[in-house]
Amino acid sequence: MEIVKIDFPVIGDERGSLVALEQLKNIPFEIKRVYYMYDLQNDLARGFHAHKELQQILICLNGSCKVLLDNGKEKQVILLDKPNSGLLIDTMIWHEMFEFSDNCSLIVIASDYYNEDDYYRNYEAFLEAIK
Ligand code: T46
């Protein structure tokens, strides 16, 4: 399975670091939604679904976490621990986020609005769909 990680250029000076995300430039799709997660619990994993059409870039802005990506044939676990690195979660990739560090926060750049009909939340249904 191809893992796509995007390293965003950091514009830094003595005041700190700045990263710019721009649709169809360093984000490979049109951006329709941005959401974020914080107060994450180390032992409470999230995700456990795949998207039919949605593409997303997941960035760990603070702390670290692991992401399992599963295309139905292969599984890979990726560590996210850099605020200037984004992980592409493409369509039809089952994903789970887990082992959140203290103060972990995640921001997600998404190609479409929230739509519950775009989710496969049942693993067997996901496997059936990608056959
Ligand atoms: C994903 C991973 C990375 C909304 O109402 N609007 C939204 O934009 C989102 C993202 C969620 N919700 C509702 C749906 C649920 O009732 O918020 C509740 C929690 O969502 P969920 O259990 O899907 O959260 P995660 O962390 O398991 O998954 C989220 C995204 O939903 C999903 O698209 O790929 O983050």
Side-chain angles (χ1 to χ4, degrees), residues 30-35 51 54 56 110-119:
E30 292 188 0
I31 300 167
K32 291 260 183 70
R33 178 169 51 114
V34 175
Y35 60 94
H51 285 285
L54 192 72
Q56 305 188 97
S111 66
D112 212 342
Y113 303 112
Y114 172 71
N115 174 11
E116 189 58 39
D117 292 342
D118 189 66
Y119 287 70

Side-chain angles (χ1 to χ4, degrees), residues 16-84:
S17 302
L18 183 153
V19 172
L21 307 177
E22 298 180 293
Q23 67 175 4
L24 303 176
K25 289 190 175 178
N26 56 8
I27 299 295
F29 47 74
E30 292 188 0
I31 300 167
K32 291 260 183 70
R33 178 169 51 114
V34 175
Y35 60 94
Y36 51 92
M37 289 168 250
Y38 58 98
D39 289 343
L40 298 162
Q41 303 299 305
N42 176 267
D43 56 346
L44 292 179
R46 305 184 65 114
F48 298 91
H49 57 252
H51 285 285
K52 297 174 188 171
E53 302 285 345
L54 192 72
Q55 290 182 294
Q56 305 188 97
I57 299 281
L58 184 56
I59 304 166
C60 185
L61 276 187
N62 195 55
S64 66
C65 76
K66 289 180 179 169
V67 184
L68 173 120
L69 298 182
D70 174 355
N71 65 4
K73 298 188 188 92
E74 275 180 78
K75 298 180 189 197
Q76 281 201 47
V77 173
I78 291 104
L79 175 69
L80 290 188
D81 61 355
K82 292 184 187 68
N84 66 320

